[in-house]
Amino acid sequence: MGEFDLIARYFTRPARPDGAVALGVGDDCALLAPTPGMQLAISSDMLVEGRHFFADVDPDALGHKALAVNLSDLAACGARPLAFTLALSLPRVDEAWLEGFSRGMWALADAHGCELVGGDTTQGPLNICITVFGEVPPGQALLRSGARPGDDIYVSGNLGDARLALEALLGHTPLPADVLARARQRLERPTPRVALGLALRGVASSAMDVSDGLLGDLSHILKASGVGARIDTHITSKLIAASAYPSSAGALFDAELIRQCTLAGGDDYELAFTAPPTQRDAVAAASQASSTPVTRIGTVLVTPGLQLVDAQGQPVDKRYASFDHFR
Amino acid sequence: MGEFDLIARYFTRPARPDGAVALGVGDDCALLAPTPGMQLAISSDMLVEGRHFFADVDPDALGHKALAVNLSDLAACGARPLAFTLALSLPRVDEAWLEGFSRGMWALADAHGCELVGGDTTQGPLNICITVFGEVPPGQALLRSGARPGDDIYVSGNLGDARLALEALLGHTPLPADVLARARQRLERPTPRVALGLALRGVASSAMDVSDGLLGDLSHILKASGVGARIDTHITSKLIAASAYPSSAGALFDAELIRQCTLAGGDDYELAFTAPPTQRDAVAAASQASSTPVTRIGTVLVTPGLQLVDAQGQPVDKRYASFDHFR
């Protein structure tokens, strides 16, 4: 199968006539016609074998995740997904792999009305680069720079399960099979919080998605906003779903592993965001409207830096380093 | 140096206040505000070490080329460049390499007023994925599907020098040093024909950029337009610049090598386009306005297929295969 047959078979579908895509796959460029007056939100993520995923990962899950991590960036800005491009470097043409990968990708794309409009395929070490486009009314994008002292700090959904699965898959931590299976779903099939991001427009003062670990990502908000924060670790520690499974009860996890996974785990693809206390009802309404649980985990402070406190309000001294590709 | 320092040092500059970029590098998404009513043209290309470039290529040239091949796609659509994202997988942080790569990239970006708005960096085998954004008035994009029987076929600039350089660098063909040096410039620093593409709006009936080889790329126009073509190989053979250098005179190149390089060389990044004979003056004016030479090389036919003819109008029987990553 040649390059163009491959694109035609796995990565080409007719554009929907009512969408923002004026011209899809097959010419030198795709043509997008955003709603007049809207801004275009753009994000790009590159996934590398051995770095972001295991060589033997289910290709369906990989197709899902490659798009999910990009949609998560749109969610963090409160942008509505429109379209994406896919650039793919493949060691060889493996039809079973392409079939699975494209299936996982299309399923998530369809769920969000996000159309594949173009891209590139080449031979080389497995590498997936997706660039995603969404739209947002001018001035309404959720940015990292809007957090103000006194704001509440929230996170959506669960934290730490993806990292827990990774630790188990790497052989660092034993896990019961059912716990691993569920945690692995979180690692391999993250849920981009697109509906929550849209519902938080005009409500949240700042937002970003948690991809490298809660504290590291939160520190980007704090730096961009020129503020500090206090985080209640007894609350964040409860956000790891696995600890609630009956088979995980008791000694399975120590408190330190849970803190590591929830505070600096990475691969969560939840939204961390801030909002003034006057918006608590609006945050609850956004959570309900988007069917996405959110938890208040701390407060924005005037003093720069991140303070971690335990259930008694006492400082937690340990530092939790976030993921960095070159450290 | 960590991931975020690397991005800050080499890949972040303030967005120009008068441009289409509402928010550049540093948040979850970039925000683009295209001119109201314009369509957004999008293209993405991935370059892999050992496949698209040699491991020891000058990083400045590579930074240029990685963006140039994307701008060439915008040129082929007649779109004005606005912005691009860069996703980069690097084996390690090599500051000299990053310094050179970013210098070459910025120089070309500045020449076209095209801003870097975001992207991704990760560790892995060297891989460069750029996605570029331009704008074009609705209905004015140059497409592959507009060629009509009787149209003239044109190509810009020169053909075949990039392939000739590649053959020499691979040790397949000996070349005098000065000829190689100039041909190598064409391989490593292609010139995206952006100004010509803009000038051809409303003039050309179809267009695309020549990246995989003239005949293969032209066949995409023919297929999309449902037509055939006759190409004058005695004209295309003269488009290789190297054959005109004094030191290349005589026996340096055989006619067959020249045909191979000009018809199926690849990496030319010229524009191939069609226009009705009534537009010959307009094509000449577009050429002049953009300071880009163009040459009429053939005619669009009703009968599908590509006919190659020599100076006597006799058929050239040999087939020239274009580049395909998976064949």
Side-chain angles (χ1 to χ4, degrees), chain A residues 36-57:
Chain A
M38 296 288 248
Q39 289 186 339
L40 208 75
I42 300 170
S43 184
S44 190
D45 272 301
M46 180 175 264
L47 272 61
V48 177
E49 180 178 297
R51 193 78 192 168
H52 299 90
F53 56 90
F54 295 106
D56 63 350
V57 69

Side-chain angles (χ1 to χ4, degrees), chain B residues 208 213-225 227 306 322:
Chain B
M208 72 175 293
L214 176 67
L215 298 187
D217 287 333
L218 209 50
S219 73
H220 294 302
I221 286 186
L222 303 183
K223 192 176 169 192
S225 301
V227 294
L306 253 175
S322 169

Side-chain angles (χ1 to χ4, degrees), chain A residues 1-6 22-23 26-34 36-49 51-52 70 72-77 79 85-93 117-125 127-129 131-133 136 141-145 207-209 212 217 220 323-327, chain B residues 1-6 22-23 26-34 36-49 51-52 70 72-77 79 85-93 117-125 127-129 131-133 136 141-145 207-209 212 217 220 323-327:
Chain A
M1 181 180 301
E3 182 178 353
F4 301 104
D5 296 330
L6 185 163
L23 184 71
D27 215 295
D28 290 80
C29 293
L31 295 175
L32 214 59
M38 296 288 248
Q39 289 186 339
L40 208 75
I42 300 170
S43 184
S44 190
D45 272 301
M46 180 175 264
L47 272 61
V48 177
E49 180 178 297
R51 193 78 192 168
H52 299 90
N70 279 283
S72 181
D73 284 313
L74 290 185
C77 286
T85 56
L86 167 69
L88 199 53
S89 170
L90 299 168
R92 76 203 71 80
V93 175
V117 293
D120 195 12
T121 53
T122 178
Q123 195 170 36
N127 183 309
I128 304 154
C129 182
T131 305
V132 75
F133 316 103
V136 60
L142 305 175
L143 305 183
R144 299 180 180 181
S145 50
M208 72 175 294
D209 79 322
D212 292 337
D217 287 331
H220 294 300
F323 189 78
D324 184 317
H325 279 284
F326 296 104
R327 279 202 195 280
Chain B
M1 182 180 301
E3 180 179 353
F4 300 105
D5 296 330
L6 185 163
L23 183 72
D27 214 294
D28 289 79
C29 292
L31 295 175
L32 215 59
M38 296 287 247
Q39 288 186 338
L40 207 76
I42 300 171
S43 185
S44 190
D45 272 302
M46 180 175 265
L47 272 62
V48 177
E49 179 178 299
R51 193 78 192 167
H52 299 90
N70 280 283
S72 181
D73 283 314
L74 290 186
C77 286
T85 57
L86 166 70
L88 198 53
S89 170
L90 299 168
R92 75 203 73 81
V93 175
V117 294
D120 196 13
T121 53
T122 179
Q123 194 170 36
N127 183 308
I128 304 155
C129 182
T131 305
V132 76
F133 317 103
V136 61
L142 305 175
L143 304 183
R144 298 180 181 180
S145 51
M208 72 175 293
D209 79 323
D212 293 338
D217 287 333
H220 294 302
F323 189 78
D324 184 317
H325 279 286
F326 296 105
R327 280 202 195 279

Side-chain angles (χ1 to χ4, degrees), chain B residues 95-117:
Chain B
E95 296 206 35
W97 188 93
L98 283 161
E99 162 65 27
F101 178 86
S102 59
R103 187 181 346 114
M105 181 196 77
W106 287 122
L108 186 65
D110 287 346
H112 291 276
C114 192
E115 295 195 56
L116 176 62
V117 294

